[in-house]
Amino acid sequence: LGAGLSAIKYLSQGAPYISPETQKDNNVKISKYADELVDKMNDIIWAMNEKNDTLDNLIFYCKAWVTEYCDAHQLASSITVPQHIPAMAIHGQLRQNIFLCIKESVHNIIKHAAAGRVDMQIQLNNGLLRIEIRDNGRGFDVERVKSGNGLYNMQKRMAQVNGRMTVVHDNGTAVVFEIPL
């Protein structure tokens, strides 16, 4: 949030000193940053609201977010969720870590994969939540890719919830999260 607010402040402060043509670009950037901040605030509010501490709420929130995000980036998507989701409490930190891993995975697809499609499959099996996010993009080699914060943060988040993350390459990339419930 701080980086986004700083960017808006910087662009706004410079407005009186730039040409009208440049100001149009500035306004587009300010609007983009403001939209991103609103989205981040909505995510924070969702994560903090104890009313959302259920497995079904987590699954359907993630499904809605992935669908909307892919649509906004003209990326086809398919999301499969279990037909029966047991009534189960999921504490806020677990929900937030799972959601942020899904969010980072889809963001990475849009940013790096040159994919045309995202498929997310959520499964529940013997107390294990399994989430697979697959794309049909160019893929990458985890050993050779320039290590950024995204992969590291997802691995760290999975460790915090006693889960694990696996990256599979097969006609694109699949990121699999497995979390004991």
Side-chain angles (χ1 to χ4, degrees), residues 35-108:
D35 287 344
E36 289 172 2
L37 289 173
V38 168
D39 289 343
K40 288 178 183 178
M41 285 299 300
N42 286 336
D43 293 344
I44 290 169
I45 291 167
W46 173 80
M48 293 177 63
N49 188 340
E50 291 178 3
K51 292 179 186 176
N52 298 324
D53 282 354
T54 63
L55 181 59
D56 64 334
N57 191 286
L58 168 67
I59 289 172
F60 289 111
Y61 186 84
C62 291
K63 178 182 179 182
W65 185 89
V66 170
T67 300
E68 185 177 314
Y69 197 72
C70 288
D71 286 350
H73 290 87
Q74 293 80 43
L75 189 61
S77 65
S78 170
I79 301 164
T80 306
V81 300
Q83 286 186 346
H84 174 71
I85 302 169
M88 181 180 289
I90 302 289
H91 64 82
Q93 182 184 9
L94 177 59
R95 275 190 309 110
Q96 183 177 22
N97 280 329
I98 293 169
F99 172 68
L100 290 174
C101 285
I102 291 170
K103 187 175 180 178
E104 181 69 30
S105 295
V106 176
H107 177 75
N108 285 346

Side-chain angles (χ1 to χ4, degrees), residues 3-23:
L5 289 171
S6 295
I8 289 171
K9 179 181 176 185
Y10 170 77
L11 291 168
S12 298
Q13 286 176 331
Y17 309 105
I18 58 177
S19 69
E21 298 81 29
T22 305
Q23 185 56 46

Side-chain angles (χ1 to χ4, degrees), residues 1 6 8 11 31-32 54 67-68 117 121 124 134 155 165 171:
L1 295 177
S6 295
I8 289 171
L11 291 168
S31 178
K32 179 181 169 235
T54 63
T67 300
E68 185 177 314
R117 177 170 194 79
Q121 184 176 39
L124 297 166
R134 179 176 294 277
Q155 290 168 337
M165 179 183 92
N171 295 323

Side-chain angles (χ1 to χ4, degrees), residues 98-177:
I98 293 169
F99 172 68
L100 290 174
C101 285
I102 291 170
K103 187 175 180 178
E104 181 69 30
S105 295
V106 176
H107 177 75
N108 285 346
I109 291 168
I110 289 168
K111 188 174 179 184
H112 303 292
R117 177 170 194 79
V118 171
D119 296 304
M120 182 170 78
Q121 184 176 39
I122 300 175
Q123 300 171 318
L124 297 166
N125 192 12
N126 296 325
L128 186 71
L129 174 63
R130 184 180 186 279
I131 303 167
E132 179 177 322
I133 302 169
R134 179 176 294 277
D135 68 66
N136 65 349
R138 64 175 143 236
F140 69 99
D141 182 352
V142 176
E143 302 300 322
R144 302 179 98 190
V145 71
K146 181 181 173 186
S147 185
N149 288 331
L151 289 173
Y152 171 77
N153 286 338
M154 288 188 290
Q155 290 168 337
K156 183 176 157 187
R157 289 182 189 286
M158 284 295 105
Q160 288 175 349
V161 298
N162 296 317
R164 70 181 187 153
M165 179 183 92
T166 309
V167 179
V168 180
H169 306 286
D170 179 29
N171 295 323
T173 301
V175 178
V176 179
F177 303 105

